[in-house]
Amino acid sequence: MSRRDEVLQAAIELLDEVGLDDLTTRRLAARLGVQPGALYRHFTSKQALLDAIVEQLVTLEPPPPATQEGWAEQVSATATVARAGMLAHRDGARLVATMGAPGPSARAGFERLVAVIAAGGAPAEAAMLATDTVFAYVNGFTIEEQARKVTGPSAVPRSERDRQFAAGLGLIIDGIRAALR
Amino acid sequence: MSRRDEVLQAAIELLDEVGLDDLTTRRLAARLGVQPGALYRHFTSKQALLDAIVEQLVTLEPPPPATQEGWAEQVSATATVARAGMLAHRDGARLVATMGAPGPSARAGFERLVAVIAAGGAPAEAAMLATDTVFAYVNGFTIEEQARKVTGPSAVPRSERDRQFAAGLGLIIDGIRAALR
DNA sequence: ACCTGAACACCGTTCAAGT
DNA sequence: ACCTGAACACCGTTCAAGT
């Protein structure tokens, strides 16, 4: 494990403890027992560090089981796994949304879903559109979920949020199904 | 126009000029010809200022034409207007997403859409679910759009983005229609 | 009511110099 | 290769005091 990876790991732990707003280069340096400036040997900027965190969040997703016959189940599995990856760390969805260019893992996930929907019978353009729509929904849902429902006095239980997410996703899948006919 | 409103207006102008990351209390004070501390007579914190900006972004939306017969057209009009409100100012979507509790205007827009879909024949629970799904899509789409497509070398023209947005929204509306039968 | 002056406790980042 | 020491140009916020 390179020193760079140790710094990255410490940053993720700090994120989970204090949240994105308090994830500070100086706090991170203190946790590593090092001066703030020392971080810049491993990351060119704080933004580069955040990008690396996001890449790891998105990479943790295992691919949906490719043995499935139906495209709908694969779309559902991909969306569920993407949401789970963002929920796995504090402020994960906001972090992903704030990011600039999508990393290699994000692009790979996108292409994979396009292929799945195309295999289901959609023309290339329609498959891309459907994929865009699914990810927009997943990101929008999870950002709001994590901002308002995970903690606090009006916390909605996880099982209820899972049901809501799946139901909304079902609406979109039905819409894609209708477009395929 | 109260002094508070003047400060708010100046903040929105500054947002459009420099973006959210450089919207600083000290820059805002300088633009108003005032010491930084003076702002705290009008807003209890920077976050309160940002909340007020969001409330204005969302309030600018006119209600969709209530004369429409079909619920689908009203859903479409509401979503389009919500997106336009966020696109109207730099980093508008990110600002809305970062916000904590939804303001009165956001809640009113939500209730209005629930009523529209319920009038279309959906049970109350299904109408809320559909509304959640539509707004999750709108927010997710617009955040990504504004983060990556509005500016820069790979800028996608507005007309193309409009088409994409409408097509994805159509998928969701088709899904809602299917659930109504 | 609105603002100044001055301070407090922080930020991200750079860079020569050390080991 | 990795880090220290020290600085630079900033932040958000508070609060007595002025008008």
Side-chain angles (χ1 to χ4, degrees):
Chain A
M1 194 188 205
S2 70
R3 182 76 236 220
R4 189 192 138 104
D5 284 346
E6 289 173 8
V7 171
L8 179 55
Q9 199 54 40
I12 292 176
E13 289 172 20
L14 185 57
L15 171 67
D16 283 334
E17 287 173 20
V18 303
L20 184 56
D21 293 334
D22 289 325
L23 175 52
T24 255
T25 57
R26 295 178 107 98
R27 283 204 203 215
L28 177 56
R31 158 184 278 261
L32 288 162
V34 122
Q35 294 301 116
L39 298 176
Y40 290 80
R41 190 146 304 265
H42 308 291
F43 295 93
T44 58
S45 67
K46 183 183 181 181
Q47 188 55 54
L49 212 202
L50 296 180
D51 287 351
I53 295 177
V54 169
E55 188 60 22
Q56 176 149 331
L57 286 211
V58 175
T59 302
L60 277 182
E61 309 171 20
T67 61
Q68 298 272 30
E69 188 56 36
W71 59 268
E73 281 75 14
Q74 290 197 19
V75 169
S76 183
T78 300
T80 299
V81 139
R83 169 168 168 260
M86 293 191 280
L87 286 181
H89 291 96
R90 173 119 81 127
D91 295 326
R94 188 153 57 105
L95 199 46
V96 170
T98 303
M99 238 221 340
S105 297
R107 269 197 299 271
F110 183 89
E111 309 267 3
R112 208 186 321 127
L113 201 54
V114 170
V116 163
I117 297 176
E125 201 187 359
M128 275 192 45
L129 173 80
T131 300
D132 266 333
T133 304
V134 168
F135 279 121
Y137 168 70
V138 171
N139 291 338
F141 183 95
T142 310
I143 288 169
E144 182 166 325
E145 175 184 16
Q146 213 167 26
R148 297 203 251 287
K149 296 181 191 155
V150 172
T151 190
S154 64
V156 177
R158 172 69 190 253
S159 60
E160 164 83 17
R161 292 182 276 128
D162 286 353
R163 263 191 53 248
Q164 227 178 296
F165 176 76
L169 185 59
L171 245 34
I172 296 176
I173 290 176
D174 285 348
I176 298 174
R177 205 190 319 274
L180 282 179
R181 294 159 85 262
Chain B
M1 196 185 204
S2 70
R3 181 70 202 174
R4 189 192 138 103
D5 284 346
E6 288 174 9
V7 171
L8 178 55
Q9 198 54 40
I12 291 175
E13 290 172 21
L14 185 57
L15 170 68
D16 284 334
E17 287 173 20
V18 303
L20 185 56
D21 292 334
D22 289 325
L23 174 52
T24 254
T25 57
R26 296 178 106 97
R27 280 205 204 215
L28 177 56
R31 158 184 277 260
L32 288 162
V34 121
Q35 294 301 115
L39 298 176
Y40 290 80
R41 189 145 305 264
H42 308 292
F43 294 93
T44 58
S45 68
K46 184 183 181 181
Q47 188 54 55
L49 212 201
L50 296 180
D51 287 351
I53 294 176
V54 169
E55 187 60 22
Q56 176 149 331
L57 287 211
V58 176
T59 302
L60 276 183
E61 309 169 20
T67 60
Q68 298 271 30
E69 190 55 37
W71 59 268
E73 281 76 13
Q74 290 197 17
V75 169
S76 183
T78 300
T80 299
V81 138
R83 169 169 169 259
M86 292 191 281
L87 287 181
H89 291 96
R90 172 119 83 126
D91 295 326
R94 188 153 57 105
L95 199 46
V96 170
T98 302
M99 237 222 339
S105 297
R107 270 196 299 271
F110 183 88
E111 309 266 3
R112 208 188 318 128
L113 201 54
V114 170
V116 162
I117 297 175
E125 202 186 357
M128 276 192 44
L129 173 81
T131 301
D132 265 333
T133 304
V134 168
F135 278 121
Y137 168 71
V138 171
N139 291 338
F141 183 95
T142 311
I143 288 169
E144 182 166 326
E145 174 183 17
Q146 212 167 26
R148 297 203 251 287
K149 296 179 191 155
V150 172
T151 191
S154 64
V156 176
R158 172 70 190 253
S159 60
E160 166 82 18
R161 292 182 276 127
D162 286 354
R163 262 190 55 248
Q164 225 178 300
F165 175 77
L169 184 58
L171 246 34
I172 296 175
I173 289 176
D174 286 347
I176 298 174
R177 204 191 319 275
L180 283 178
R181 293 159 84 260

